[in-house]
Amino acid sequence: MTTAMTPERLSVMVGVLLAILATLPRYLVNGNQGRLTLILIAFAAIAVVAVFAWRMLTVESRRRVPRLLGRLAVMVLLGILLVALWQVFTSGLNELLLLSHGATLGLLIHALGMGMQQRNAWH
């Protein structure tokens, strides 16, 4: 079974890269070098796969990527806003957790939203 690369999958890969970048300050501040090294290795591996994924896209599919990345950016901002609200009402703002958790929530919203759109397109 072969699956073609899609702009949606590439946008999720870019989102994973953003989520990884958003976690880096936590590991830098806490001095957790072992985990920082592993995260940087994961970032490099995913970045290489994303480059290959971009090269596998057709010209028409590449034209859809900027719109999806814009949607990803909006969802990441929404995720940061929602986590900020959650933190304000529960324990107070923690900037490092806000950044990493907000980016991760935004990526999750982005991926789930695309999955629901594709599911609705199939029915």
Side-chain angles (χ1 to χ4, degrees), residues 11 14-15 18 65-83 99 101-111 113-114 117:
S11 73
V14 171
L18 285 173
V65 172
R67 180 182 56 83
L68 289 168
L69 293 180
R71 183 177 184 271
L72 172 64
V74 169
M75 295 302 137
V76 167
L77 291 174
L78 176 64
I80 290 172
L81 175 67
L82 291 172
V83 170
L99 183 61
H101 292 178
T104 303
L105 179 59
L107 170 60
L108 182 62
I109 295 169
H110 174 70
M114 283 190 313
Q117 283 178 345

Side-chain angles (χ1 to χ4, degrees), residues 13-120:
M13 276 190 259
V14 171
V16 169
L17 291 172
L18 285 173
I20 289 173
L21 286 176
T23 63
L24 289 180
R26 289 177 54 198
Y27 295 109
L28 288 170
V29 167
N30 293 331
N32 200 334
Q33 296 302 318
R35 288 185 183 176
L36 180 63
T37 302
L38 290 174
I39 280 203
L40 290 174
I41 291 170
F43 181 88
I46 295 168
V48 167
V49 171
V51 168
F52 282 113
W54 170 260
R55 295 187 64 163
M56 290 173 61
L57 291 176
T58 64
V59 173
E60 182 179 320
S61 294
R62 287 182 184 180
R63 289 188 189 124
R64 293 178 34 214
V65 172
R67 180 182 56 83
L68 289 168
L69 293 180
R71 183 177 184 271
L72 172 64
V74 169
M75 295 302 137
V76 167
L77 291 174
L78 176 64
I80 290 172
L81 175 67
L82 291 172
V83 170
L85 289 172
W86 178 262
Q87 284 185 0
V88 165
F89 289 119
T90 58
S91 61
L93 282 177
N94 179 331
E95 294 82 10
L96 296 176
L97 290 178
L98 173 64
L99 183 61
S100 64
H101 292 178
T104 303
L105 179 59
L107 170 60
L108 182 62
I109 295 169
H110 174 70
L112 289 174
M114 283 190 313
M116 288 174 35
Q117 283 178 345
Q118 288 181 349
R119 184 173 179 237
N120 290 338

